[in-house]
Amino acid sequence: MTKTTQTGSDVIVIGAGLAGLTAAVHAVQTGATVRLIAQGWGQQIVTPGWISVCDRAKDDVIAELRGYAALHPAHPYALAGDEGMIDCLERFRAITKAIGVPYGACVKAGHNLRLTTLLGAIQTPLLAPASMVSGDLTGVTGEILLVSFTGWRDFYPALAASNLAKQGITARAVLVDAPGAPQAWDLWPVELARRFDDPALRQRVIDQLRPHVQNAAKIGFPAVVGLEQHVEALADCTQQLERPCFEIATLPPSVPGTRLSNRLRRWLLRQRARVQIGHPVVHGIVENRRCVGVDVGALGHTNPFYADQFILATGGLYNGGIQSDESGRLWEPIFDLPVKGPGGTGREKWYHANLLVHRGHAVHRHTGLRVNTRMQPLDADGAPVLDNVYAAGHLLTGFNPLTDGCAEGIALATALKAVQVALALEAQKSY
Amino acid sequence: MTDNAQHLIDLTAFTADHCLKCNICTAACPVASITPLFPGPKTVGPQAQRMRLPGAPSPDHSIDYCSGCGICTLVCPHGVRVMEINTQAKAQMTATHGISLRNWFLSRNERWGRLGTPFAPLINFGLRLWLARWFAEKAVKISARAPLPRWAGYTFRGWWKKQVRQHPRPAPASDAQRVVYFHGCSTNTYEPHIGKLAVAVLEHLGLYVEIPPQTCCGLPAQSNGDFKAARRYARKNIAFLVDYARRGIPIVGTSASCMTAIKGDYQHVLGLDDPDAQLVAEHTYDFMEFLAKLHREGKLPTDFHPIERELPYHAPCQLKAHGMGRPALDVLDLIPGLRCWEIDADCCGIAGTYGFKAEKRAIAETVGKPIAEQVEAASAEVVVCDTETCRWQITSLTNATTIHPVELVAQAYGLTVDRYTPPVTARQM
């Protein structure tokens, strides 16, 4: 239970993305007092909300990942250890179930899901919100009905249907009036989701859909079916339309990501953890290779917060955890930890003749913090820089979040490992 | 980068250039998702900002529906001051079209509090009459359902003057023992007990309390777009306080929203970016922040009487803007037996004067619903909250008694003041 002492809390987690939030959850579950500090919400609000672990795996995902980690010892998966991978996924499923945003997996155990996007492309995460899992295309034979709202700019289901057809999946498009809004053009997913919370508004959508269901095997909605009452909202659609209804990830803001963030925050607050979103940690207070506290940039004056252990989960180059300037310099703004980059002088290695280069641009693959198996950031000689600061998530080097299809898996695995080491839960193990 | 260029980037309007249009603010905005009248902070903020010329009319009138709660600024991972940009645009709109009588009236609460004090019983009676409220809604568009305060019938400043006269205090040996108390308008005329308790706690800590002249923090005028009036209030307060700041004397206040204005808005919203404003901001603390700071420095006595209660706490949106965490919870955790937990809610809906407006009352009530639900689910009879209008709003949404955290601190120290019955009592040892 969190309480202040002269020295502060047991753990300060910096960052409110998937790594930061789950690190805070793990730490609270072990009984630690936790303070989470972040400049803003993390990227789960602009991403689909599913968990990519190893998107390219054709069959057993964990086996593929083990093989990959064995060949790439500097990859974050290899550093975090593969036994932690299964553990972190199970823990994630348990906490999301407990807070009412359950996540599910493919019926073929250990396999990736096959989920359509709004364009009709197929994405293959390992876990997804249960509302998306019911749209898994694995082994689907019947016709899929894709639903959008007349005039809404974010989803053209006919386009998705024609793209799915090219991949051998039969799909049909239908447009209905958006719930409670004559003008759907400018509606945000979150706004639509709130309307789906309202049973009366939801009913109008269901009633319009009934004549279009026909032979459809499944019905796909954009992921706006409820915000607070989303489990009830989707169950209502499924029950009344007598077909499995599912959600398809939308453009930002992501309703599934918002649901997850909101519920995790509520859970953390109810456990009496502190959740401070809005002001950046500007500086680490370091004494003899130990971090004793962090200064938060605030109105009027900075505010210090003290703790015994620190989990740094501030994100990578795109998320503010690593900064750059026009000279090509890369730096970590809180502790000035050594940042590995693509090399070269200036930014010449950041670019490529092709926009979509296979395996991604070097700046994405290489930029980040090097850590050891204890998730401690390392200096040029491979020694830990600070004794009680652990890094997790996008901040790490050795993988390409844009092309490897493992961003969320790395966030979960490294966050769990960081907390276990920070709270000495693995004391018996050797490193 | 030169200092000059950095300064330019730090200016509120230029933070719009950091916007990636990711819509995290849109997802978090408590107003946009419940009314089509407000298209969301990104749309009217950093997006519309590209169409705005300094001094030219603002292109988007829907900005009037922004409550100014500032959640958008807090959730932005890129440092865009969305709320501040919106408030400045609102001011541009007010400068172009003028201020409505109702908004002018709400912006000058300081005056009505003061002028109404001698007639407190009459006003308190009148404002509880259904017909009077109906008339106020029809004539001036102040919602008949909005939670109005009660005039105390005496002012905190009047009480303090008498106090000082009757009990002269020896001047302290050094400025290190001095503290300035900023009471704000509400404490002065509606809730003087909060000021009396704050003074009691500060004196209990061995500090010599000074209460210099002060006026409205300017936030009500600012959020109604009346920057001229807001700057007038701000400059007065800076002039009243800057000498204390120069001497390193902390300025503490029990209204977290007034303190937001003094610490941040004077510079980031009103653009008073002079050394005096900065100096005052640097030395200004929310009351609970000040206690938390004393505790960190080992200067806060913790010989508290136990309070065996589990109480929900609401962190007002304007308190969240400070970037000081939740000092009330940190300090209240030191009281044996007391277990406070934070309600998960961005804003109670009232957002200063927003929830008093007839056309916005329903929005304000919907925004505040999560608080009511969580308080009800916990069967809580008392809610702790640091800002007055939020307390009134929470009382109107829940029927719970709402208290300022200083009430618990004073109880736990065994301190009482006249004309006040503590809603939560400590076990005497």
Side-chain angles (χ1 to χ4, degrees), chain A residues 2-4 6 35 39-41 46 188 194 265-266 272 274-276 278-279 298-301 303 305-306, chain B residues 22-23 26 33 39 74-76 282 284 289 296 298 321-326 329-330 333 340 344 346 374:
Chain A
T2 294
K3 63 173 172 50
T4 9
Q6 216 86 345
R35 191 183 293 277
Q39 173 159 16
W41 275 120
V46 293
W188 299 110
R194 283 231 192 244
R265 176 183 62 182
R266 181 165 295 188
R272 304 178 76 233
R274 303 279 188 269
V275 181
Q276 301 171 202
H279 298 266
L299 298 186
H301 41 78
N303 272 313
F305 293 94
Y306 300 103
Chain B
C22 71
N23 271 313
T26 308
S33 62
L74 295 181
V75 299
C76 177
E282 267 168 46
T284 298
E289 177 190 24
R296 274 200 306 269
H322 282 245
M324 59 187 180
R326 306 290 182 267
L329 289 178
D330 293 347
D333 268 355
C340 292
D344 180 43
D346 288 322
Q374 289 169 67

Side-chain angles (χ1 to χ4, degrees), chain A residues 118-394:
Chain A
L118 292 187
L119 284 174
I122 290 174
Q123 294 288 313
T124 54
L126 181 65
L127 298 182
S131 61
M132 291 184 184
V133 170
S134 44
D136 185 11
L137 298 172
T138 307
V140 158
T141 49
E143 181 192 57
I144 313 275
L145 182 65
L146 298 174
V147 182
S148 187
F149 309 108
T150 311
W152 193 42
R153 63 183 167 191
D154 282 14
F155 181 28
Y156 298 89
L159 174 64
S162 75
N163 283 335
L164 283 172
K166 289 173 198 159
Q167 301 166 83
I169 292 157
T170 318
R172 182 161 51 88
V174 60
L175 294 174
V176 296
D177 290 339
Q183 296 285 331
W185 165 257
D186 216 12
L187 287 178
W188 299 110
V190 179
E191 218 172 332
L192 279 164
R194 283 231 192 244
R195 291 170 196 217
F196 268 92
D197 280 345
D198 180 337
L201 293 179
R202 190 161 74 223
Q203 192 61 44
R204 282 191 224 164
V205 174
I206 295 171
D207 291 342
Q208 290 180 74
L209 275 173
R210 220 171 249 128
H212 298 280
V213 173
Q214 299 162 19
N215 294 323
K218 291 185 182 194
I219 304 172
F221 292 79
V224 300
V225 186
L227 187 64
E228 284 296 321
Q229 312 294 329
H230 64 281
V231 174
E232 297 83 340
L234 199 70
D236 188 17
C237 296
T238 296
Q239 197 200 348
Q240 291 202 51
L241 297 169
E242 298 171 341
R243 303 285 186 287
C245 290
F246 66 96
E247 289 191 310
I248 306 166
T250 66
L251 294 171
S254 158
V255 171
T258 306
R259 290 171 189 150
L260 178 67
S261 305
N262 287 350
R263 296 289 181 103
L264 283 176
R265 176 183 62 182
R266 181 165 295 188
W267 184 87
L268 286 167
L269 290 178
R270 211 60 186 83
Q271 307 303 311
R272 304 178 76 233
R274 303 279 188 269
V275 181
Q276 301 171 202
I277 292 178
H279 298 266
V281 169
V282 289
H283 170 242
I285 309 164
V286 175
E287 290 169 6
N288 303 324
R289 287 176 25 114
R290 262 192 94 75
C291 179
V292 294
V294 290
D295 277 326
V296 171
L299 298 186
H301 41 78
T302 59
N303 272 313
F305 293 94
Y306 300 103
D308 293 333
Q309 307 291 334
F310 296 82
I311 312 277
L312 190 62
T314 42
L317 191 58
Y318 282 180
N319 318 96
I322 290 170
Q323 307 270 335
S324 70
D325 65 14
E326 66 278 11
S327 73
R329 189 168 75 92
L330 294 160
W331 71 95
E332 186 286 309
I334 297 175
F335 297 102
D336 200 17
L337 296 165
V339 177
K340 188 173 176 295
T345 55
R347 283 175 152 183
E348 85 262 5
K349 293 205 174 166
W350 295 32
Y351 307 105
H352 194 277
N354 296 332
L355 176 66
L356 299 174
V357 51
H358 180 62
R359 303 205 67 202
H361 289 236
V363 68
H364 297 137
R365 175 159 297 281
H366 295 296
T367 302
L369 304 186
R370 279 175 63 219
V371 294
N372 59 15
T373 55
R374 294 169 58 81
M375 297 295 125
Q376 291 171 303
L378 303 175
D379 63 18
D381 302 326
V385 183
L386 296 163
D387 291 339
N388 60 339
V389 174
Y390 310 88
H394 261 100

